[in-house]
Structures are given as structure tokens and as C-alpha cells.
Amino acid sequence: FFFKQKTAYEISACLVGSEMCIRDSSYGPPIDIFAIGAIMAELYKFWPLFPGNSEVDQMEKICQMLGTPSQQEWPEGYKLAAQAGYKFPRYQTQSLKRVIPTASSEALQLISDMLKYNPAERPTAAQALQYPYFQCRIPIPEGLDQNAQEELIEQVEKTENKDLSLIHISEPTRQAEISYAVFCLKKK
């Protein structure tokens, strides 16, 4: 309630990828992937991961968090920085787990990969969707007897892309839990 109203520029500045801060003129999907990683982190933190207020300040905030990129890690970034007369500030990498303690290890891995300095090393959107973060990890409900488990799997296999709500198992008291497990099984 006490937050200062931010302009669209101020909001989007917090999501700008490292290559944009040093004036890369090519815009492509990797820049959006970086922004998605920053947004994901913000959703966990309730605050921007890189709250910069200019390109130079933004790059400073990125380096404070991700550490200074090496020339081997991001050769194109060093070329762009040299053309712009920019020198990367020297920082050690911060632990995302320490900065975003509420995030799961799967979320931290995805965020970390989306925030890589080198745009070529970031996952594509399709690759990101294959990360464990997006995989359903709900097992078949515990305590379900072997017959009910087999019945559940058999019905899931039969449904193909049909309405999963049509699946009914002989243990009606656990129908909601089973329905959720079915949903997760269908996602795999």
C-alpha cells in the first residue's frame, strides 16, 4: 500500500535482459525468456530481482545477483560492452536459494537457466516447458489398493483426450484426490 506508483518504463526496466543493457540492437525470444525468469523470481520475492532505474543501474543489479560474466561465458557481451565503452562491475554470484528462499529447487533451476547472460544458453519457451518445474509430481494417492491403482491407470489410458471427469474409481470417498492424480497422469 505504500509502494510508489511506477511508470511502464520503470516496470519494464526491471525486466530488461543483460544484452539490452549494453545496447544489443537485436531483439528476439531469448530477451523475453530473460524477462520471464525475472518475472518468475519477482512472483516469489514480491519485489523485482533487478530493480534498476537505468540501463547502467540495471546491469549493475544483474551483476550483483548473477556475478560478473566471464569473457568465456559471454563473448558477445564483452564485444557489445567494449563498443559501448562499458566495463562490467565486479561481483560474485549470489545464491538464488538465499535470495528466493520460498522457491523450490525446480523453480530455482528454471529461473537460473532463464537468466543466463549468454542468450544462446537460455532455454527456448518449448525447452523451458520440459523442465521438472512444469512436470506434475503428484503420485497416485497413497493407500490406494493395487486393484484401484490398476483401475485408475487403465481408465486414464482409455480416456485419451476425453473428459477426465468421467473416470470413476471404486473408492468414492477419495474421488477428488484420484481425479487430481488422473489429471497429473494425463499431463505426462
Side-chain angles (χ1 to χ4, degrees):
F1 303 120
F2 298 104
F3 296 111
K4 175 186 162 249
Q5 185 83 20
K6 295 222 179 254
T7 66
Y9 174 79
E10 289 173 313
I11 291 168
S12 61
C14 296
L15 306 175
V16 169
S18 49
E19 62 272 31
M20 297 304 286
C21 293
I22 52 175
R23 310 270 170 124
D24 188 348
S25 60
S26 60
Y27 187 94
I31 292 169
D32 294 331
I33 293 295
F34 187 96
I36 292 167
I39 290 167
M40 238 179 115
E42 188 172 334
L43 289 171
Y44 280 102
K45 286 178 49 91
F46 301 109
W47 194 256
L49 187 61
F50 311 118
N53 56 27
S54 69
E55 290 169 336
V56 171
D57 188 42
Q58 181 70 12
M59 194 68 224
E60 178 92 13
K61 301 288 193 247
I62 292 170
C63 289
Q64 284 174 352
M65 176 58 55
L66 304 180
T68 305
S70 70
Q71 211 162 359
Q72 183 180 9
E73 174 183 18
W74 193 27
E76 185 61 30
Y78 272 81
K79 288 178 193 169
L80 289 168
Q83 290 170 359
Y86 181 80
K87 289 203 181 281
F88 290 104
R90 298 285 169 211
Y91 289 102
Q92 295 295 317
T93 304
Q94 298 297 309
S95 163
L96 276 179
K97 180 65 179 162
R98 188 181 61 72
V99 176
I100 315 169
T102 57
S104 67
S105 60
E106 293 86 359
L108 292 170
Q109 183 61 58
L110 179 58
I111 292 168
S112 175
D113 287 355
M114 290 176 141
L115 297 178
K116 294 220 182 244
Y117 277 111
N118 189 336
E121 292 180 10
R122 295 178 199 147
T124 64
Q127 289 168 337
L129 290 173
Q130 299 307 309
Y131 273 63
Y133 177 80
F134 291 109
Q135 304 306 310
C136 187
R137 294 169 297 182
I138 306 297
I140 294 176
E142 289 182 29
L144 202 58
D145 68 39
Q146 186 66 33
N147 290 337
Q149 285 182 27
E150 289 170 8
E151 185 181 352
L152 173 64
I153 291 168
E154 182 181 317
Q155 288 196 35
V156 167
E157 289 171 353
K158 283 182 187 175
T159 60
E160 299 274 326
N161 292 321
K162 299 175 191 160
D163 186 359
L164 295 177
S165 66
L166 299 175
I167 293 179
H168 294 286
I169 303 299
S170 55
E171 292 188 31
T173 57
R174 308 198 59 210
Q175 188 61 46
E177 189 177 356
I178 291 167
S179 294
Y180 191 63
V182 167
F183 169 77
C184 292
L185 285 170
K186 286 300 286 184
K187 280 183 66 177
K188 290 186 175 188

